[in-house]
């Protein structure tokens, strides 16, 4: 078959075995299941202390939290910046797990890499190819989220911007796509998860919080993600979702979080994952 510049390179033909990605001491993929959780945005020291209290002694292997927030409205809370990174580092240290935060701009990178164990590129920036190449060069694991209007092929090509820059510590994250349906914030594309698992050797995780926009659907969609073959689930949680400065309606409160991790862990183990 003719080689084409439109052909994906980093497929299962390139690497038939599933690749495991290490974020600090947390292994993801190739039989290792990731539970990632944290607030949409870091808001205050007391919020992070509360979250650390109920994340302690759970199988959560990665703390998430926004420091530089990509908000749809310029008038919405934009994140605490470096102060958030300091709070995340403190919380992750007390939990003895790594943390990830989103990079929205290359100008923030120098600051972010002083603290973070992994870098997230969000849905709005999946096709910011110069950002992807620069992030790839930081020598840190990357979670790349699917663009809200991206086809799976476009998603896979975005992954290749990182892989071809020499960084193979990549985790793909399905987080829902735009649709005509107004019942959900996004439509979680679990067919894409089953498909991606066949195409790419890199781990594939699912974010049912942004994928639905509704905390009451996060557990069902998490379990469905495990069944579809995901290597992990990443969710948003908040000690008091009603008062959250961003994404409260999709954030699990401490009781829902407790039920969530018990059930997701049980199913992942049942299906043979290490967790
Ligand atoms: C996030 O995970 O903080 C986020 C903003 O999600 P997304 O990029 O999927 O919208
Ligand atoms: Mn959010």
């Amino acid at each position: 078959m003719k080689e084409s510049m439109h052909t994906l390179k980093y497929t299962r033909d390139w690497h038939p075995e599933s690749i495991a990605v290490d974020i600090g001491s947390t292994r993801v993929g190739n039989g290792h299941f990731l539970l990632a959780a944290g607030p949409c945005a870091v808001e205050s020291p007391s919020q992070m202390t509360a979250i650390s209290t109920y994340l302690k002694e759970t199988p959560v292997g990665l703390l998430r939290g926004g420091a530089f927030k990509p908000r749809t409205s310029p008038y919405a809370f934009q994140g605490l910046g470096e102060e958030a990174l300091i709070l995340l580092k403190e919380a992750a240290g007390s939990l003895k797990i790594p943390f990830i935060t989103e990079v929205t701009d290359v100008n923030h990178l120098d600051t972010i890499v002083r603290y973070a164990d992994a870098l997230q590129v969000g849905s709005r920036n999946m096709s910011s190819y110069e950002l992807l190449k620069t992030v790839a060069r930081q020598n840190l694991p990357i979670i790349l989220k699917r663009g809200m209007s991206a086809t799976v092929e476009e998603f896979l090509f975005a992954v290749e911007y990182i892989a071809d820059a020499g960084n193979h510590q990549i985790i793909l994250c399905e987080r829902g796509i735009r649709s005509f349906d107004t019942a959900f914030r996004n439509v979680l594309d679990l067919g894409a998860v089953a498909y991606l698992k066949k195409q790419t050797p890199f781990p594939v995780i699912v974010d049912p919080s942004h994928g639905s926009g509704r905390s009451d659907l996060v557990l069902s969609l998490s379990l469905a993600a495990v069944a579809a073959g995901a290597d992990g689930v990443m969710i948003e949680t908040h000690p008091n979702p009603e008062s959250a400065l961003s994404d409260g309606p999709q954030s699990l409160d401490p009781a829902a979080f407790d039920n969530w991790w018990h059930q997701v862990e049980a199913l992942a183990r049942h299906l043979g994952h290490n967790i």
Side-chain angles (χ1 to χ4, degrees):
M1 200 167 63
K2 192 165 143 262
E3 258 309 284
S4 149
M5 61 193 193
H6 301 300
T7 306
L8 291 162
K9 261 166 66 177
Y10 297 89
T11 62
R12 291 263 178 190
D13 291 334
W14 164 71
H15 199 291
E17 296 296 311
S18 292
I19 291 173
V21 172
D22 290 322
I23 307 177
S25 55
T26 296
R27 178 158 288 187
V28 189
N30 198 20
H32 297 267
F33 194 85
L34 175 71
L35 288 182
C40 177
V42 176
E43 298 171 0
S44 65
S46 62
Q47 174 218 28
M48 291 311 292
T49 309
I51 288 176
S52 307
T53 308
Y54 65 84
L55 254 60
K56 226 174 215 125
E57 265 134 65
T58 72
V60 168
L62 180 67
L63 175 68
R64 62 143 290 148
F68 298 93
K69 291 302 299 173
R71 302 305 300 282
T72 303
S73 162
Y75 314 115
F77 177 59
Q78 303 286 308
L80 296 179
E82 187 165 5
E83 192 187 335
L85 299 173
I86 294 167
L87 292 172
L88 281 163
K89 182 128 196 121
E90 240 171 60
S94 82
L95 292 165
K96 299 191 179 61
I97 57 173
F99 85 85
I100 187 163
T101 197
E102 178 171 352
V103 181
T104 55
D105 190 313
V106 284
N107 293 315
H108 302 147
L109 252 183
D110 284 352
T111 309
I112 291 174
V113 298
R114 283 207 297 276
Y115 300 92
D117 302 292
L119 304 173
Q120 179 171 313
V121 176
S123 193
R124 288 158 192 78
N125 280 309
M126 184 209 81
S127 23
S128 299
Y129 302 122
E130 294 306 318
L131 177 66
L132 292 183
K133 288 189 274 183
T134 309
V135 167
R137 289 195 294 268
Q138 305 308 309
N139 202 23
L140 285 172
I142 297 166
I143 292 183
L144 177 64
K145 300 186 85 173
R146 180 181 179 182
M148 57 190 81
S149 306
T151 64
V152 282
E153 189 185 45
E154 288 163 345
F155 189 17
L156 287 166
F157 273 122
V159 167
E160 303 223 346
Y161 270 95
I162 302 170
D164 223 43
N167 188 333
H168 296 167
Q169 306 170 83
I170 311 166
I171 299 170
L172 289 73
C173 181
E174 160 60 33
R175 50 77 72 204
I177 49 176
R178 280 276 168 96
S179 159
F180 51 85
D181 202 324
T182 51
F184 318 94
R185 181 176 180 182
N186 293 292
V187 170
L188 191 64
D189 187 0
L190 293 177
V193 175
Y195 175 84
L196 286 166
K197 284 299 298 169
K198 292 197 181 300
Q199 297 299 311
T200 178
F202 297 115
V204 179
I205 66 167
V206 170
D207 172 352
S209 303
H210 293 92
S212 66
R214 296 177 51 136
S215 59
D216 61 339
L217 300 182
V218 165
L219 174 60
S220 327
L221 293 177
S222 298
L223 296 172
V226 184
D231 298 291
V233 182
M234 178 163 73
I235 60 110
E236 290 182 340
T237 179
H238 193 284
N240 180 17
E242 296 79 57
S243 72
L245 296 181
S246 70
D247 287 351
Q250 67 192 37
S251 298
L252 300 187
D253 66 20
F257 172 79
D258 190 61
N259 183 39
W260 172 79
W261 76 255
H262 278 99
Q263 295 212 40
V264 180
E265 181 191 34
L267 182 62
R269 279 195 198 283
H270 179 72
L271 294 180
H273 291 279
N274 295 302
I275 184 166

